[in-house]
Amino acid sequence: MPLQNKERSPMNYVNAKQILPDELLAEIQQYIHGETLYIPKRNKERLKWGTATGSRHSLDERNEQIRSRFFDGAAIGELATAYCLSSETIKKIVYIRK
């Protein structure tokens, strides 16, 4: 029976003995025992980078502002200075559309 998130420690450390069937635990122990093992989420359950924290949204908004200013006439160098980014990064933002 899987533990609920509220029952897990802040680092998501869970004792395998508490949640895995004895047979599965014994099988895993043939490969690793007494060590920390990371088990990644299934691909369909993984969130894209920054979506959980809002970072992705913030960067999308920033990039839209950069595109808008560029198409209103701002120079690449001016935008690079204003947003503390390289000219190459600004070019990628304004010339590559989603």
Side-chain angles (χ1 to χ4, degrees):
M1 170 183 341
L3 295 175
Q4 299 300 318
N5 284 338
K6 64 183 179 181
E7 297 175 22
R8 295 182 182 180
S9 71
M11 295 299 291
N12 291 331
Y13 169 82
V14 178
N15 186 331
K17 190 171 187 166
Q18 294 175 332
I19 61 170
L20 297 178
D22 292 337
E23 304 81 36
L24 180 56
L25 181 59
E27 182 71 23
I28 292 170
Q29 286 172 329
Q30 291 183 33
Y31 300 93
I32 186 170
H33 52 89
E35 301 287 334
T36 302
L37 177 66
Y38 172 75
I39 300 175
K41 290 183 178 182
R42 295 181 190 120
N43 283 338
K44 65 182 178 183
E45 294 175 8
R46 296 183 85 183
L47 297 175
K48 291 185 178 183
W49 178 89
T51 55
T53 63
S55 296
R56 177 79 264 155
H57 180 70
S58 296
L59 286 178
D60 288 342
E61 284 182 350
R62 180 207 64 187
N63 292 351
E64 193 53 45
Q65 288 174 356
I66 291 170
R67 282 187 208 97
S68 178
R69 288 181 62 185
F70 176 76
F71 291 115
D72 285 343
I76 297 285
E78 176 187 338
L79 294 169
T81 300
Y83 289 92
C84 299
L85 297 171
S86 71
S87 295
E88 292 303 312
T89 299
I90 296 294
K91 288 177 186 176
K92 287 177 186 175
I93 292 168
V94 298
Y95 293 128
I96 298 173
R97 284 290 189 164
K98 291 182 180 180

